[in-house]
C-alpha cells in the first residue's frame, strides 16, 4: 500500500510541476513577443545620419515588424487564455490581454456567423486586425507617393 501511495504522490508532484512549467512557458512566449515589439520600436528610432526617405522606409519596416510581433502575442493569448479559463486557471499575464481576446473572439464569432449565412468572405486565421500594407516594389523614388501614409501607427496599449 505504501508503494502505491508513493507512486501516486510522485505522479501528483510531476503534474503540479508540469502545471507550473507550462504556464511559465506560455508567459515567456508572450513576454518575448512584447520585448520584441519594444526592440523593433527602438530600431525605428535609432537610425541616424540617413537620408529622410530611407529613414522613413526603415521606420515603416520597424513599425510593421513591431505590429506583427504585437499581434503574434495577441494570437498566443487568444489561443491559450480560453483553454486556461476552461481549466479555471487565471494567469497574471492574461489580464493584460483579456479585452483584446474578447474583441478577437467577437470578430471570429461574427466571421463564423457570416460563413453560416453563406456570405462570400475570405477567412484569414489569426490575421484579424493586422493593418499591414506593403510598399509597391516598383517604386524607385518618392514622387507622388505619400511616404508618411506608409508608416504604421503603433498602439501604446
Amino acid at each position: 500500500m505504501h508503494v502505491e501511495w508513493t507512486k501516486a504522490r510522485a505522479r501528483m508532484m510531476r503534474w503540479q510541476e508540469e502545471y507550473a512549467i507550462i504556464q511559465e512557458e506560455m508567459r515567456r512566449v508572450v513576454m518575448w513577443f512584447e520585448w520584441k515589439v519594444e526592440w523593433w520600436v527602438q530600431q525605428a528610432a535609432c537610425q541616424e545620419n540617413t537620408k529622410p526617405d530611407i529613414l522613413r522606409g526603415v521606420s515603416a519596416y520597424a513599425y510593421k515588424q513591431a505590429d506583427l510581433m504585437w499581434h503574434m502575442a495577441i494570437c498566443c493569448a487568444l489561443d491559450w487564455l480560453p483553454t486556461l479559463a476552461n481549466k479555471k486557471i487565471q494567469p497574471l499575464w492574461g489580464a493584460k490581454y483579456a479585452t483584446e481576446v474578447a474583441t478577437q473572439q467577437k470578430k471570429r464569432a461574427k466571421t463564423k456567423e457570416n460563413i453560416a449565412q453563406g456570405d462570400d468572405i475570405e477567412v484569414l486565421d489569426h490575421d484579424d486586425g493586422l493593418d499591414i500594407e506593403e510598399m509597391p516594389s516598383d517604386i524607385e523614388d518618392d514622387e507622388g507617393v505619400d511616404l508618411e501614409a506608409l508608416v504604421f501607427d503603433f498602439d501604446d496599449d
Side-chain angles (χ1 to χ4, degrees):
M1 186 62 128
H2 290 290
V3 172
E4 291 301 318
W5 179 85
T6 305
K7 287 180 181 179
R9 184 173 183 271
R11 277 193 297 273
M12 181 196 68
M13 292 172 69
R14 281 194 302 267
W15 291 337
Q16 287 175 340
E17 181 182 16
E18 188 64 29
Y19 173 83
I21 288 172
I22 196 77
Q23 287 186 69
E24 179 61 16
E25 287 175 351
M26 290 175 176
R27 185 192 70 80
R28 286 182 184 212
V29 167
V30 172
M31 294 301 116
W32 184 86
F33 283 128
E34 289 181 7
W35 171 82
K36 202 64 172 177
V37 166
E38 294 300 321
W39 186 85
W40 276 112
V41 170
Q42 290 172 0
Q43 296 305 305
C46 75
Q47 298 295 324
E48 296 177 4
N49 302 326
T50 309
K51 293 180 185 178
D53 55 340
I54 293 174
L55 185 60
R56 284 185 290 238
V58 169
S59 176
Y61 180 78
Y63 282 116
K64 175 183 172 181
Q65 293 299 314
D67 190 56
L68 181 64
M69 292 295 125
W70 175 248
H71 281 87
M72 289 178 77
I74 291 170
C75 286
C76 288
L78 184 62
D79 286 343
W80 297 337
L81 288 176
T83 303
L84 292 173
N86 287 341
K87 304 293 182 193
K88 304 212 180 347
I89 302 170
Q90 296 297 322
L92 295 176
W93 58 266
K96 185 176 191 176
Y97 296 94
T99 56
E100 190 66 37
V101 167
T103 302
Q104 292 295 329
Q105 286 177 332
K106 287 178 186 176
K107 284 183 182 180
R108 283 186 178 182
K110 185 174 181 179
T111 301
K112 288 179 183 179
E113 181 181 312
N114 290 343
I115 291 171
Q117 293 174 357
D119 294 346
D120 190 24
I121 60 171
E122 182 180 349
V123 177
L124 298 174
D125 192 30
H126 292 301
D127 288 337
D128 297 346
L130 288 177
D131 298 324
I132 299 173
E133 298 176 20
E134 297 289 337
M135 183 187 294
S137 59
D138 58 343
I139 296 176
E140 295 180 5
D141 58 13
D142 63 350
E143 293 179 10
V145 177
D146 184 11
L147 292 176
E148 293 296 326
L150 296 174
V151 177
F152 299 93
D153 291 329
F154 181 72
D155 295 332
D156 293 324
D157 293 332

